[in-house]
Amino acid sequence: MAVSRTFSIIKPDATAGNLTGAINKVIEDGGLRIIAQRRIRMTQVQAERFYAMHAERPFFGELVEFMTSGPVVVQVLQGENAVPRYRKIMGATNPAEADEGTIRKLFAKSIGENSAHGSDSDENAAIEIAQFFSEGDIVG
Ligand code: ATP
Ligand code: MG
């Protein structure tokens, strides 16, 4: 199996709950390596650009407001089949539907405030990583 990368965000509900370390443990226990990590406060422009594919959805305004409401931790994760592996570690978008032991089941409050983001394809992972990290900041 090929080693690949995905992009992760620990969202504001999780940083507010002081859960960065707990979530990182779930990530590492799931077989992924955190090869870059930075805590930032997203600007409105960054959040709108990051979630541009959802611009027409009814929850877009709420999503941007939430993502800029507090600190987030942006990360690059590496491991075998990183994109689908991390989606599995995160669990379903709606925490009520997430499997036991997943980040969203363990920590998320609602479909909106769902603790973590993970890329949905290798192509989007590369685009998202480049939005927040330069290659020199990623140490695999
Ligand atoms: P993410 O892209 O954050 O990893 P996802 O891929 O599981 O999540 P998407 O469909 O891409 O889910 O939705 C992006 C984000 O928008 C969700 O994580 C959630 O925070 C928010 N969202 C999605 N659906 C709703 C909804 N019905 N109401 C409120 N917020 C929503
Ligand atoms: Mg998504």
Side-chain angles (χ1 to χ4, degrees):
M1 264 189 265
V3 169
S4 58
R5 292 176 177 180
T6 192
F7 179 71
S8 163
I9 303 176
I10 299 178
K11 295 186 180 183
D13 61 302
T15 62
N18 206 20
L19 294 167
T20 300
I23 289 174
N24 280 351
K25 177 155 171 54
V26 179
I27 290 169
E28 292 179 339
D29 287 349
L32 291 171
R33 198 169 282 272
I34 301 161
I35 60 169
Q37 174 169 264
R38 195 166 76 249
R39 181 169 158 116
I40 61 168
R41 182 78 181 251
M42 264 200 201
T43 65
Q44 173 129 350
V45 168
Q46 275 178 314
E48 284 174 351
R49 179 166 169 234
F50 183 75
Y51 277 124
M53 79 291 280
H54 295 312
E56 304 307 319
R57 307 276 285 274
F59 57 81
F60 182 67
E62 197 184 311
L63 177 59
V64 169
E65 196 180 326
F66 169 59
M67 291 302 288
T68 57
S69 68
V72 300
V73 179
V74 290
Q75 304 176 309
V76 182
L77 310 181
Q78 181 171 285
E80 283 181 1
N81 292 320
V83 165
R85 182 181 290 257
Y86 189 45
R87 303 279 301 183
K88 203 167 170 199
I89 291 168
M90 285 195 302
T93 309
N94 184 350
E97 292 163 14
D99 289 340
E100 291 298 329
T102 62
I103 290 169
R104 285 163 168 169
K105 180 72 172 188
L106 287 166
F107 306 118
K109 296 175 179 151
S110 66
I111 192 167
E113 303 198 4
N114 62 2
S115 302
H117 160 82
S119 308
D120 58 13
S121 68
D122 286 349
E123 189 189 2
N124 283 337
I127 292 167
E128 292 171 3
I129 288 168
Q131 277 178 38
F132 293 94
F133 293 98
S134 56
E135 207 41 52
D137 294 329
I138 303 169
V139 183

